[in-house]
Amino acid sequence: MNMTINVPEYIKVIQERLIANEYECYLVGGCVRDTLLGLEVKDYDLTTNCDSSTLKSIFSDYSLINNNGEKHNTITLHINAENVEITSYKHNENEKNTIENDLLHRDLTINAMAYSDKFVDFVGGYEDLKNKIIKAPGNPLERIKEDPLRILRALRFSSKLGFEIEEKTADAIHQYKELLVNVSPERIKVELDGILAGNNVKKILKDYKDVIFIIIPELKMIDGFDQKNPYHKNTLYEHIINVCGNVFLNETKKINSIVLTRTAALFHDIGKPSCFTIDDNGIGHFYGHAEKGALIAVEIMKRLRYSNDEIEKIQYLIMKHDSTINPTKKSVRKNLSSVPNQDEELFVMLLELMNADRLDHTSHDLMNIEKIKDIIKQIKEDNECIKLSDLAVNGFDLIKLGLSGKEIGYTLNHLLELVMDDKITNNKEEMIEFIKKVK
């Protein structure tokens, strides 16, 4: 097949230097795959028959990043403000150091195509790409044993591209899923984010739930759980994956926002079983499930090494997903004031999560998110009070009035609540008179 990949100049520099030292050098993996798919190429990975020690010597005039990769025969060059991975050919000890053997040991056929001055495809990657198939090269059991993370990588690419996972590869994934317990949580988290970012997320969470339960065993307890509630026709796990799928993708949304919202969707009702009660009419209730679910989710996220910022945002989304937010200034102002750092983007993520949740109810009344956005815009334009620093009085004013210690913070928060409820105006003189009366 004829193809051309137009690479940046800094990639050409690396290729030419390796070739000048009588080594082979191929573009491999995502850059080849994405070129064939007509997608923008963001990263360029290179592979060569040069060993990592010699690579370091050849490129000694460049900065090396993450030397831990050397144990995997990989170096990362910092060149032209970019990081470029160069990997020595993958092969077993009894195999020749060739590009063919390297490609046979890669995770998926669609990632096992290479390009130098010609297109190289020993494993049928191009046909699988055309036919929208996710498939391991050679024996899928052997590929997974080489690196069990490939289980999740297959799910990620299926979710992202909407491709079907080939039967033998799917069987190997189900058979060897337990190997994931030995994979580092950091690597698992990256792949889980990728799965949740894809258009095909709902199908993956359904068809490969046994795999998901290995990395998040807390979800297994909700599988098949009958909510016994007229608002829910689906079991609890079915509901959760439907909500994940209902968090819609579009070109205007940031991938990070999608991942955070879908992660919250994945965990939003995880506290229901431990809060389950049945009333005299046989109706199930889940009082306090948002708070309980947030606690469980935080433990899961800590285990999977989520950042503190991610944990704070997802915890907020879970805690507030059952809130009542009306399209009025008073309601929006009050709810926006409780968002960490009054983060408008996070507040919109909450609205999208709430609508995604409601869409899987037997009857639903969706919020008009665009209308609420307009109200937020109006609140900001009018400089309305939504946080303590917006109040017309501050701690120094209260000290002058004789308040001290904890009563200062309590009074400021009480004043903010009163302003939020339109019971007093955000006027310094009025507030001071109010404080004098209640002292």
Side-chain angles (χ1 to χ4, degrees), residues 325-369:
I325 303 176
N326 298 314
T328 64
K329 253 194 173 187
K330 179 179 177 180
S331 179
V332 172
R333 191 173 58 215
K334 190 164 186 177
N335 281 281
L336 185 59
S337 72
S338 69
V339 182
N341 303 312
Q342 288 69 54
D343 185 337
E344 183 180 336
E345 183 181 3
L346 181 58
F347 185 57
V348 173
M349 288 161 57
L350 173 63
L351 301 176
E352 291 175 342
L353 174 62
M354 292 171 71
N355 272 357
D357 189 13
R358 293 179 182 189
L359 276 171
D360 195 54
H361 290 182
T362 51
S363 62
H364 52 260
D365 182 19
L366 299 183
M367 291 177 293
N368 187 330
I369 295 178

Side-chain angles (χ1 to χ4, degrees), residues 202-387:
K202 185 175 168 182
K203 179 175 173 57
I204 294 301
L205 293 177
K206 178 184 177 183
D207 294 350
Y208 294 89
K209 64 181 182 181
D210 57 327
V211 177
I212 301 301
F213 296 162
I214 294 295
I215 60 175
I216 309 174
E218 292 88 346
L219 286 172
K220 188 173 184 179
M221 67 183 290
I222 71 172
D223 186 35
F225 188 92
D226 184 353
Q227 301 187 71
K228 298 187 184 301
N229 188 285
Y231 290 108
H232 293 282
K233 64 179 181 292
N234 296 312
T235 64
L236 188 48
Y237 185 71
E238 289 170 342
H239 169 66
I240 279 180
I241 65 176
N242 286 341
V243 176
C244 284
N246 290 342
V247 177
F248 298 119
L249 286 170
N250 65 47
E251 294 179 358
T252 64
K253 292 183 183 178
K254 298 175 183 176
I255 288 296
N256 183 55
S257 296
I258 292 293
V259 172
L260 288 174
T261 311
R262 283 185 171 168
T263 303
L266 189 65
F267 298 145
H268 80 284
D269 277 351
I270 202 167
K272 275 189 171 180
S274 56
C275 298
F276 182 56
T277 58
I278 299 181
D279 64 22
D280 293 340
N281 296 316
I283 304 298
H285 299 280
F286 310 94
Y287 303 115
H289 79 275
E291 294 79 4
K292 180 65 176 178
L295 291 174
I296 296 171
V298 167
E299 290 305 309
I300 294 169
M301 290 187 288
K302 286 181 177 178
R303 186 175 72 234
L304 293 177
R305 307 292 194 270
Y306 282 69
S307 70
N308 290 335
D309 181 65
E310 290 171 320
I311 291 174
E312 181 185 33
K313 288 178 177 177
I314 293 167
Q315 182 180 20
Y316 163 79
L317 293 173
I318 297 170
M319 288 278 289
K320 298 293 185 178
H321 80 270
D322 253 356
S323 301
T324 299
I325 303 176
N326 298 314
T328 64
K329 253 194 173 187
K330 179 179 177 180
S331 179
V332 172
R333 191 173 58 215
K334 190 164 186 177
N335 281 281
L336 185 59
S337 72
S338 69
V339 182
N341 303 312
Q342 288 69 54
D343 185 337
E344 183 180 336
E345 183 181 3
L346 181 58
F347 185 57
V348 173
M349 288 161 57
L350 173 63
L351 301 176
E352 291 175 342
L353 174 62
M354 292 171 71
N355 272 357
D357 189 13
R358 293 179 182 189
L359 276 171
D360 195 54
H361 290 182
T362 51
S363 62
H364 52 260
D365 182 19
L366 299 183
M367 291 177 293
N368 187 330
I369 295 178
E370 292 306 315
K371 184 176 181 179
I372 293 176
K373 284 182 180 179
D374 288 338
I375 293 172
I376 294 172
K377 184 179 179 181
Q378 187 179 349
I379 288 170
K380 291 169 69 176
E381 288 176 350
D382 295 342
N383 292 315
E384 295 197 27
C385 182
I386 60 171
K387 57 184 184 295

Side-chain angles (χ1 to χ4, degrees), residues 114-144:
Y115 176 84
S116 182
D117 55 347
K118 61 180 180 179
F119 176 67
V120 179
D121 179 15
F122 296 110
V123 295
Y126 180 62
E127 285 300 312
D128 289 339
L129 201 62
K130 285 199 303 181
N131 295 323
K132 300 184 177 182
I133 297 294
I134 298 294
K135 180 181 177 183
N139 185 336
L141 296 174
E142 292 299 320
R143 298 294 80 78
I144 289 174

